[in-house]
Amino acid sequence: SRLYATVSADGAFAIENIPVGKYQFTAWSAAHEPERRVAEIRPGARTQLDFSLKPRAAKPHLNKSGEPYANSR
């Protein structure tokens, strides 16, 4: 999508010039589970969305056979 934001150091973000309508917003990072919110954008109104991302579960590093290494069992 052409509508996206990068989060600042304090966790804030802004997306300008979103057309009026109802949208699903997704916050994600490689280290966190995605989180979604639905919001309606109204003319002349400011919309605030709050996200609280949860860390992804760590997956064991596997060898070429798809098995965990002996020291990670």
Side-chain angles (χ1 to χ4, degrees):
S1 171
R2 63 179 179 77
L3 300 173
Y4 66 92
T6 301
V7 178
S8 66
D10 68 356
F13 66 94
I15 304 173
E16 305 285 332
N17 303 315
I18 300 174
V20 172
K22 192 172 187 177
Y23 296 90
Q24 176 174 273
F25 296 86
T26 304
W28 65 274
S29 86
H32 296 86
E33 294 294 333
E35 192 170 308
R36 293 172 178 79
R37 298 276 184 276
V38 173
E40 187 166 350
I41 306 301
R42 295 190 170 99
R46 181 179 176 164
T47 302
Q48 179 174 325
L49 298 174
D50 295 310
F51 294 91
S52 181
L53 300 182
K54 295 177 178 72
R56 289 185 189 266
K59 295 181 182 176
H61 186 75
L62 304 178
N63 64 23
K64 66 182 179 184
S65 300
E67 300 290 327
Y69 286 96
N71 62 354
S72 65
R73 289 182 191 175

